Amino acid sequence: MRGRGKNINTSIQIKPNIVNLFDLEVFKDGEVVSPKTLFNKGLIRRAGGKFSKVKILAAGEFTKKLKFEDCIFSDEAKVKIEKTGGSIKN
C-alpha cells in the first residue's frame, strides 16, 4: 500500500483569482467589472476552461466609478469602492 494517503492534506478547493484595485484603472468610468471582463482585459486567467471566482483586494489608489458583478471583496475594498460611488452586485 505504498503511497496511500499521499497528499491527503492538500486542498481541493479552487482558490480565487486575486485582483488589486490599482489593476482596475484600465477600466473607464461606468464600466462593469466581472470575471468575464477581467479575462478580456488580461487581468485573470481561466481555471480548467471556466472562470474561477475573483477576489478584489484594496491595494493601491482607486478613483474610478465602476459596477462590480460576481466578485468577492475584502472589507477595505468594499469601503473604497463605495467611497468613489461604485456599486456592488452579487
Side-chain angles (χ1 to χ4, degrees):
M1 294 295 178
R2 185 174 168 181
R4 187 170 190 157
K6 184 177 180 185
N7 295 327
I8 197 165
N9 292 326
T10 57
S11 175
I12 59 170
Q13 184 178 6
I14 297 174
K15 295 182 181 177
N17 287 309
I18 302 296
V19 178
N20 290 308
L21 284 177
F22 66 83
D23 294 330
L24 300 177
E25 292 295 323
V26 297
F27 287 92
K28 296 177 183 172
D29 279 339
E31 282 190 296
V32 175
V33 178
S34 67
K36 186 175 180 180
T37 58
L38 290 168
F39 176 76
N40 291 338
K41 298 267 185 181
L43 295 173
I44 64 169
R45 296 182 182 169
R46 287 187 185 190
K50 298 178 183 178
F51 293 118
S52 63
K53 295 181 181 182
V54 175
K55 185 165 187 175
I56 309 291
L57 300 180
E61 294 296 317
F62 185 65
T63 59
K64 307 280 182 164
K65 184 178 180 182
L66 301 173
K67 299 173 186 173
F68 293 86
E69 294 179 355
D70 301 326
C71 298
I72 304 168
F73 302 91
S74 68
D75 293 335
E76 254 184 84
K78 276 186 182 179
V79 170
K80 284 186 177 184
I81 290 166
E82 291 168 352
K83 188 176 180 181
T84 60
S87 63
I88 296 172
K89 179 182 173 187
N90 287 336

